[in-house]
Amino acid sequence: MTLLAPERHERILDRLRRSGTITVQEIADDLQVTKETVRRDLDQLEIAGSLQRVHGGAVASSAPSRRETSLRQRQNEHSRQKRAIAREALSFVPSSPDASVLLDAGTTTEALADLLGAETQERHTRFVTTSSVPIAQKLAEVSSLDVEVLGGKVRGITGAVVGAQAVATLSRRQADVAFIGTNGVDAGFGLSTPDTAEAAVKSGLVHAARQVVLLADSSKLGQRTLVQFATLEEIDVLITDDAPHPELAHALQDADVRVLVAVTP
């Protein structure tokens, strides 16, 4: 089966995350394409800042701590993994009509919102509070949900609501469960995001729920960005698509975090 360029790029970056270095020959063999195709792919990925080209291959590139991609870009990255994570996360949504749920901004939490929106149990009304304008727009049309969107300023790049009003509202909430997204999960630094205002809201979401479920595809594991918004000890469950590397796995175990690996079709 011939892979499209975005699929090849995802496979290349996945292998690079695992090994830290790759060669043109091994990628050509793995993807069953010519070395010229691999070189073009590596050149494109280097221009995007995803890796660093070296003689005969590439090595991992350390991303700047404030680098962010747009919501639209991220919707096309690791989409299969995000859907698998969302399906696993659905089991943590309380079935009670009196339940309350917090949904963070992000493409993986949005995948969970899509599943919530597809539910047809009209009598099972749940209360959902979200910091995401795109998620609020999707769920507002679902009659089986009561939807609240936090007030404040909207960050265009992520569609997230930020600011003092949102943080103050969360300080007066105690929901049953919060589903949180992140830009990085690091053994020592915990959960982080590039923007200070968004970090404040994420921290508010973490502290406003009895149970905290982190949704993070494997590209976020072992990464750290500028602002820490939670420690590992502050989350209860991590749902991802691949087993964390040993250092992070040990840190999660020490923090008593339950780790679930979603099966990607």
Side-chain angles (χ1 to χ4, degrees):
M1 181 180 67
T2 303
L3 297 176
L4 299 176
E7 296 173 310
R8 295 198 306 272
H9 293 178
E10 187 171 325
R11 290 271 292 270
I12 289 169
L13 293 175
D14 181 63
R15 183 156 186 164
L16 188 58
R17 282 190 296 269
R18 293 172 180 272
S19 62
T21 182
I22 52 176
T23 68
V24 171
Q25 185 63 62
E26 67 186 10
I27 293 299
D29 292 341
D30 182 35
L31 301 183
Q32 296 183 339
V33 295
T34 66
K35 290 191 286 187
E36 288 74 19
T37 297
V38 174
R39 292 190 184 98
R40 286 196 299 271
D41 287 340
L42 295 181
D43 288 342
Q44 292 170 7
L45 289 168
E46 183 177 46
I47 291 171
S50 301
L51 52 75
Q52 181 180 345
R53 291 281 273 117
V54 296
H55 181 69
V59 295
S61 175
S62 296
S65 64
R66 293 207 68 205
R67 173 178 291 167
E68 285 187 278
T69 53
S70 70
L71 186 65
R72 180 171 295 182
Q73 286 175 290
R74 287 185 287 116
Q75 284 173 334
N76 296 321
E77 296 174 348
H78 315 291
S79 55
R80 290 186 301 111
Q81 292 89 335
K82 291 172 182 178
R83 288 194 295 269
I85 291 168
R87 285 192 295 270
E88 190 73 34
L90 194 61
S91 65
F92 288 89
V93 177
S95 59
S96 169
D98 301 317
S100 55
V101 175
L102 301 178
L103 279 180
D104 190 11
T107 50
T108 311
T109 49
E110 188 170 346
L112 174 58
D114 289 336
L115 295 180
L116 283 174
E119 290 186 332
T120 58
Q121 299 180 43
E122 299 290 335
R123 65 186 183 279
H124 284 175
T125 300
R126 303 189 190 96
F127 189 80
V128 177
T129 299
T130 183
S131 60
S132 166
V133 172
I135 288 176
Q137 289 175 326
K138 286 186 174 185
L139 296 185
E141 299 178 359
V142 181
S143 59
S144 59
L145 300 173
D146 285 336
V147 181
E148 173 192 47
V149 61
L150 296 175
K153 179 181 177 181
V154 179
R155 294 192 72 223
I157 192 170
T158 61
V161 177
V162 298
Q165 182 180 348
V167 174
T169 299
L170 289 170
S171 71
R172 299 188 295 271
R173 295 286 189 273
Q174 189 62 198
D176 294 300
V177 60
F179 295 94
I180 307 296
T182 187
N183 294 77
V185 186
D186 182 77
F189 198 55
L191 281 56
S192 60
T193 194
D195 183 74
T196 54
E198 199 155 338
V201 174
K202 286 178 177 289
S203 181
L205 289 164
V206 168
H207 292 106
R210 297 183 180 89
Q211 183 181 44
V212 179
V213 181
L214 177 64
L215 312 183
D217 68 76
S218 55
S219 70
K220 313 294 176 53
L221 305 184
Q223 302 296 316
R224 62 169 68 185
T225 54
L226 182 64
V227 189
Q228 182 199 67
F229 66 85
T231 64
L232 296 182
E233 287 77 10
E234 291 176 302
I235 64 174
D236 299 294
V237 180
L238 165 62
I239 305 178
T240 185
D241 61 278
D242 198 5
H245 58 77
E247 181 186 8
L248 179 56
H250 291 149
L252 289 164
Q253 184 176 18
D254 290 343
D256 199 26
V257 178
R258 180 184 177 189
V259 178
L260 298 176
V261 177
V263 177
T264 304

